[in-house]
């Protein structure tokens, strides 16, 4: 599975439990809030002033380590 910036945060977190700490450490602390069920990764990054491409790369790098 490859994560893209147009994916909903809640869907991304459900792919693997190891993704949540990556998002939290990057500054996305809204994983349990209502916005996580309808906001894309890109939208959340814009709101929080984050580099979306770097975050997506980190998440996908993590997923690649799982095999």
């Amino acid at each position: 599975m490859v994560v893209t910036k147009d994916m909903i945060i809640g869907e991304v977190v459900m792919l693997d439990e190891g993704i949540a700490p990556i998002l939290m450490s990057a500054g996305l602390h809204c994983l349990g809030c209502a916005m996580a069920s309808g906001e894309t990764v890109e939208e959340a990054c814009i709101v929080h002033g984050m580099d979306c491409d770097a975050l997506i790369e980190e998440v996908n790098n993590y997923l690649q380590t799982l095999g």
Side-chain angles (χ1 to χ4, degrees), residues 50-61:
M50 301 169 60
D51 182 343
C52 188
D53 292 327
L55 180 59
I56 292 294
E57 181 178 356
E58 185 176 355
V59 170
N60 283 323
N61 286 343

Side-chain angles (χ1 to χ4, degrees), residues 13-60:
V13 173
M14 292 187 69
L15 293 175
D16 185 88
E17 63 185 26
I19 293 174
I22 295 170
L23 299 180
M24 296 278 289
S25 69
L28 293 182
H29 300 231
C30 57
L31 303 182
C33 79
M35 293 304 292
S37 63
E39 189 172 49
T40 66
V41 176
E42 183 173 36
E43 290 167 338
C45 286
I46 290 169
V47 168
H48 293 283
M50 301 169 60
D51 182 343
C52 188
D53 292 327
L55 180 59
I56 292 294
E57 181 178 356
E58 185 176 355
V59 170
N60 283 323

